[in-house]
Short mmCIF file of all heavy atoms in Angstrom, two decimals:
data_model
loop_
_atom_site.label_atom_id
_atom_site.label_comp_id
_atom_site.label_asym_id
_atom_site.label_seq_id
_atom_site.Cartn_x
_atom_site.Cartn_y
_atom_site.Cartn_z
N THR A 127 -45.78 168.38 117.55
CA THR A 127 -45.30 167.17 116.89
C THR A 127 -46.30 166.70 115.85
O THR A 127 -47.48 167.06 115.87
CB THR A 127 -45.06 166.03 117.91
OG1 THR A 127 -46.28 165.79 118.61
CG2 THR A 127 -43.98 166.40 118.89
N ASN A 128 -45.80 165.88 114.94
CA ASN A 128 -46.62 165.29 113.87
C ASN A 128 -47.36 166.33 113.05
O ASN A 128 -48.54 166.16 112.71
CB ASN A 128 -47.60 164.25 114.44
CG ASN A 128 -46.87 163.06 115.01
OD1 ASN A 128 -45.86 162.63 114.44
ND2 ASN A 128 -47.33 162.56 116.13
N ARG A 129 -46.69 167.42 112.73
CA ARG A 129 -47.26 168.43 111.84
C ARG A 129 -46.59 168.30 110.47
O ARG A 129 -45.42 168.00 110.38
CB ARG A 129 -47.05 169.84 112.40
CG ARG A 129 -47.89 170.08 113.64
CD ARG A 129 -48.04 171.58 113.83
NE ARG A 129 -48.96 171.85 114.89
CZ ARG A 129 -50.24 172.18 114.72
NH1 ARG A 129 -50.73 172.28 113.51
NH2 ARG A 129 -51.01 172.43 115.74
N TYR A 130 -47.37 168.59 109.43
CA TYR A 130 -46.86 168.48 108.07
C TYR A 130 -47.09 169.79 107.33
O TYR A 130 -47.99 170.57 107.69
CB TYR A 130 -47.59 167.34 107.33
CG TYR A 130 -47.23 165.98 107.87
CD1 TYR A 130 -47.87 165.47 109.01
CD2 TYR A 130 -46.25 165.24 107.27
CE1 TYR A 130 -47.53 164.23 109.51
CE2 TYR A 130 -45.89 163.99 107.77
CZ TYR A 130 -46.53 163.49 108.89
OH TYR A 130 -46.19 162.27 109.39
N HIS A 131 -46.27 170.02 106.32
CA HIS A 131 -46.44 171.22 105.52
C HIS A 131 -46.06 170.91 104.06
O HIS A 131 -45.42 169.90 103.77
CB HIS A 131 -45.59 172.38 106.06
CG HIS A 131 -44.13 172.22 105.82
ND1 HIS A 131 -43.33 171.45 106.62
CD2 HIS A 131 -43.32 172.73 104.87
CE1 HIS A 131 -42.08 171.50 106.19
NE2 HIS A 131 -42.06 172.26 105.12
N ARG A 132 -46.47 171.80 103.18
CA ARG A 132 -46.09 171.72 101.78
C ARG A 132 -46.07 173.12 101.21
O ARG A 132 -46.62 174.07 101.78
CB ARG A 132 -47.02 170.82 100.99
CG ARG A 132 -48.41 171.37 100.79
CD ARG A 132 -49.23 170.43 99.96
NE ARG A 132 -50.58 170.97 99.80
CZ ARG A 132 -51.52 170.36 99.15
NH1 ARG A 132 -51.29 169.18 98.59
NH2 ARG A 132 -52.71 170.89 99.04
N VAL A 133 -45.43 173.26 100.06
CA VAL A 133 -45.31 174.56 99.41
C VAL A 133 -46.09 174.51 98.11
O VAL A 133 -46.03 173.52 97.37
CB VAL A 133 -43.82 174.89 99.12
CG1 VAL A 133 -43.69 176.20 98.36
CG2 VAL A 133 -43.03 174.93 100.41
N GLU A 134 -46.80 175.61 97.84
CA GLU A 134 -47.59 175.69 96.62
C GLU A 134 -47.23 176.99 95.93
O GLU A 134 -47.21 178.06 96.54
CB GLU A 134 -49.08 175.66 96.99
CG GLU A 134 -49.98 175.42 95.82
CD GLU A 134 -51.42 175.20 96.29
OE1 GLU A 134 -51.73 174.08 96.75
OE2 GLU A 134 -52.19 176.16 96.21
N THR A 135 -46.88 176.91 94.64
CA THR A 135 -46.55 178.11 93.85
C THR A 135 -47.41 178.13 92.60
O THR A 135 -47.92 177.09 92.17
CB THR A 135 -45.05 178.14 93.47
OG1 THR A 135 -44.76 177.00 92.67
CG2 THR A 135 -44.17 178.18 94.69
N TYR A 136 -47.51 179.31 92.03
CA TYR A 136 -48.30 179.47 90.82
C TYR A 136 -47.52 180.32 89.82
O TYR A 136 -47.04 181.40 90.15
CB TYR A 136 -49.64 180.14 91.15
CG TYR A 136 -50.52 180.37 89.95
CD1 TYR A 136 -51.19 179.31 89.35
CD2 TYR A 136 -50.68 181.63 89.41
CE1 TYR A 136 -51.99 179.50 88.24
CE2 TYR A 136 -51.48 181.85 88.32
CZ TYR A 136 -52.14 180.78 87.73
OH TYR A 136 -52.93 180.98 86.63
N ASN A 137 -47.38 179.81 88.61
CA ASN A 137 -46.71 180.54 87.53
C ASN A 137 -47.79 181.15 86.65
O ASN A 137 -48.47 180.44 85.90
CB ASN A 137 -45.79 179.59 86.74
CG ASN A 137 -44.99 180.32 85.69
OD1 ASN A 137 -45.38 181.39 85.21
ND2 ASN A 137 -43.86 179.75 85.33
N SER A 138 -47.97 182.48 86.76
CA SER A 138 -49.05 183.13 86.00
C SER A 138 -48.75 183.17 84.50
O SER A 138 -49.69 183.25 83.71
CB SER A 138 -49.26 184.56 86.53
OG SER A 138 -48.07 185.31 86.41
N THR A 139 -47.50 183.08 84.10
CA THR A 139 -47.16 183.10 82.67
C THR A 139 -47.65 181.83 81.99
O THR A 139 -48.24 181.88 80.92
CB THR A 139 -45.63 183.24 82.49
OG1 THR A 139 -45.18 184.36 83.22
CG2 THR A 139 -45.27 183.42 81.02
N THR A 140 -47.38 180.70 82.63
CA THR A 140 -47.79 179.41 82.03
C THR A 140 -49.10 178.91 82.59
O THR A 140 -49.57 177.84 82.19
CB THR A 140 -46.69 178.36 82.26
OG1 THR A 140 -46.55 178.15 83.67
CG2 THR A 140 -45.37 178.76 81.64
N ASN A 141 -49.68 179.65 83.52
CA ASN A 141 -50.93 179.27 84.15
C ASN A 141 -50.84 177.87 84.79
O ASN A 141 -51.74 177.06 84.66
CB ASN A 141 -52.07 179.33 83.14
CG ASN A 141 -53.40 179.59 83.80
OD1 ASN A 141 -53.46 180.07 84.92
ND2 ASN A 141 -54.47 179.26 83.10
N THR A 142 -49.69 177.64 85.47
CA THR A 142 -49.43 176.32 86.05
C THR A 142 -49.25 176.44 87.55
O THR A 142 -48.59 177.33 88.05
CB THR A 142 -48.13 175.73 85.44
OG1 THR A 142 -48.20 175.82 84.03
CG2 THR A 142 -47.95 174.30 85.86
N LYS A 143 -49.84 175.49 88.27
CA LYS A 143 -49.71 175.43 89.72
C LYS A 143 -48.79 174.26 90.07
O LYS A 143 -48.94 173.16 89.54
CB LYS A 143 -51.07 175.25 90.36
CG LYS A 143 -51.07 175.24 91.86
CD LYS A 143 -52.50 175.32 92.39
CE LYS A 143 -52.86 174.06 93.09
NZ LYS A 143 -54.19 174.10 93.70
N TYR A 144 -47.82 174.53 90.95
CA TYR A 144 -46.90 173.49 91.40
C TYR A 144 -47.12 173.29 92.90
O TYR A 144 -47.18 174.23 93.67
CB TYR A 144 -45.44 173.90 91.16
CG TYR A 144 -45.13 174.15 89.71
CD1 TYR A 144 -45.15 175.44 89.18
CD2 TYR A 144 -44.81 173.10 88.86
CE1 TYR A 144 -44.85 175.68 87.85
CE2 TYR A 144 -44.52 173.32 87.54
CZ TYR A 144 -44.55 174.61 87.03
OH TYR A 144 -44.27 174.84 85.72
N THR A 145 -47.16 172.03 93.32
CA THR A 145 -47.35 171.71 94.72
C THR A 145 -46.34 170.65 95.12
O THR A 145 -46.20 169.63 94.45
CB THR A 145 -48.78 171.17 94.97
OG1 THR A 145 -49.72 172.13 94.48
CG2 THR A 145 -49.03 170.94 96.43
N SER A 146 -45.66 170.90 96.22
CA SER A 146 -44.68 169.93 96.73
C SER A 146 -45.43 168.82 97.47
O SER A 146 -46.62 168.92 97.74
CB SER A 146 -43.68 170.62 97.66
OG SER A 146 -44.30 170.99 98.86
N THR A 147 -44.70 167.79 97.81
CA THR A 147 -45.31 166.72 98.62
C THR A 147 -45.35 167.17 100.07
O THR A 147 -44.61 168.05 100.49
CB THR A 147 -44.47 165.43 98.50
OG1 THR A 147 -43.15 165.70 98.96
CG2 THR A 147 -44.44 164.93 97.07
N TRP A 148 -46.24 166.54 100.84
CA TRP A 148 -46.33 166.83 102.26
C TRP A 148 -45.06 166.33 102.94
O TRP A 148 -44.61 165.23 102.69
CB TRP A 148 -47.54 166.16 102.87
CG TRP A 148 -48.83 166.82 102.50
CD1 TRP A 148 -49.71 166.42 101.54
CD2 TRP A 148 -49.37 168.00 103.07
NE1 TRP A 148 -50.78 167.29 101.46
CE2 TRP A 148 -50.59 168.28 102.40
CE3 TRP A 148 -48.96 168.88 104.06
CZ2 TRP A 148 -51.38 169.36 102.71
CZ3 TRP A 148 -49.75 169.96 104.37
CH2 TRP A 148 -50.94 170.20 103.70
N THR A 149 -44.47 167.18 103.81
CA THR A 149 -43.26 166.84 104.53
C THR A 149 -43.47 167.09 106.01
O THR A 149 -44.08 168.09 106.39
CB THR A 149 -42.07 167.69 104.04
OG1 THR A 149 -41.95 167.56 102.63
CG2 THR A 149 -40.77 167.28 104.69
N ARG A 150 -42.99 166.18 106.83
CA ARG A 150 -43.13 166.33 108.28
C ARG A 150 -42.22 167.46 108.77
O ARG A 150 -41.06 167.52 108.41
CB ARG A 150 -42.77 165.02 108.98
CG ARG A 150 -43.10 165.02 110.43
CD ARG A 150 -42.99 163.60 111.01
NE ARG A 150 -42.78 163.70 112.41
CZ ARG A 150 -41.61 163.61 113.01
NH1 ARG A 150 -40.54 163.35 112.31
NH2 ARG A 150 -41.50 163.72 114.30
N MET A 151 -42.77 168.34 109.60
CA MET A 151 -41.99 169.43 110.16
C MET A 151 -41.18 168.90 111.35
O MET A 151 -41.72 168.25 112.23
CB MET A 151 -42.92 170.57 110.64
CG MET A 151 -43.61 171.29 109.52
SD MET A 151 -44.73 172.58 110.12
CE MET A 151 -43.61 173.63 111.00
N LYS A 152 -39.89 169.21 111.34
CA LYS A 152 -39.03 168.74 112.42
C LYS A 152 -38.77 169.84 113.44
O LYS A 152 -38.41 169.56 114.58
CB LYS A 152 -37.69 168.27 111.84
CG LYS A 152 -37.83 167.10 110.89
CD LYS A 152 -36.52 166.73 110.29
CE LYS A 152 -36.70 165.62 109.28
NZ LYS A 152 -35.48 165.34 108.55
N HIS A 153 -38.97 171.09 113.04
CA HIS A 153 -38.70 172.23 113.92
C HIS A 153 -39.81 173.25 113.76
O HIS A 153 -40.44 173.34 112.72
CB HIS A 153 -37.37 172.90 113.57
CG HIS A 153 -36.21 171.98 113.54
ND1 HIS A 153 -35.64 171.45 114.66
CD2 HIS A 153 -35.50 171.48 112.50
CE1 HIS A 153 -34.63 170.68 114.33
NE2 HIS A 153 -34.53 170.66 113.02
N GLY A 154 -40.02 174.06 114.80
CA GLY A 154 -40.91 175.20 114.69
C GLY A 154 -42.33 174.92 115.14
O GLY A 154 -42.68 173.81 115.53
N VAL A 155 -43.11 175.99 115.09
CA VAL A 155 -44.53 175.94 115.45
C VAL A 155 -45.31 176.58 114.31
O VAL A 155 -44.75 177.30 113.50
CB VAL A 155 -44.81 176.70 116.78
CG1 VAL A 155 -44.11 176.00 117.94
CG2 VAL A 155 -44.41 178.15 116.70
N PRO A 156 -46.60 176.34 114.25
CA PRO A 156 -47.40 176.94 113.17
C PRO A 156 -47.34 178.46 113.19
O PRO A 156 -47.52 179.08 114.24
CB PRO A 156 -48.82 176.44 113.46
CG PRO A 156 -48.66 175.26 114.34
CD PRO A 156 -47.40 175.47 115.11
N GLN A 157 -47.08 179.05 112.04
CA GLN A 157 -47.01 180.50 111.94
C GLN A 157 -48.40 181.08 112.16
O GLN A 157 -49.39 180.57 111.68
CB GLN A 157 -46.48 180.92 110.57
CG GLN A 157 -46.24 182.40 110.48
CD GLN A 157 -45.50 182.75 109.18
OE1 GLN A 157 -45.16 181.90 108.40
NE2 GLN A 157 -45.30 184.03 108.98
#
Side-chain angles (χ1 to χ4, degrees):
T127 57
N128 294 322
R129 290 201 173 261
Y130 292 83
H131 72 278
R132 69 178 179 182
V133 176
E134 193 171 282
T135 61
Y136 179 74
N137 185 335
S138 59
T139 307
T140 62
N141 207 20
T142 310
K143 183 169 114 176
Y144 300 97
T145 305
S146 70
T147 59
W148 286 100
T149 306
R150 189 168 157 261
M151 291 179 60
K152 298 176 184 173
H153 306 287
V155 295
Q157 187 171 358

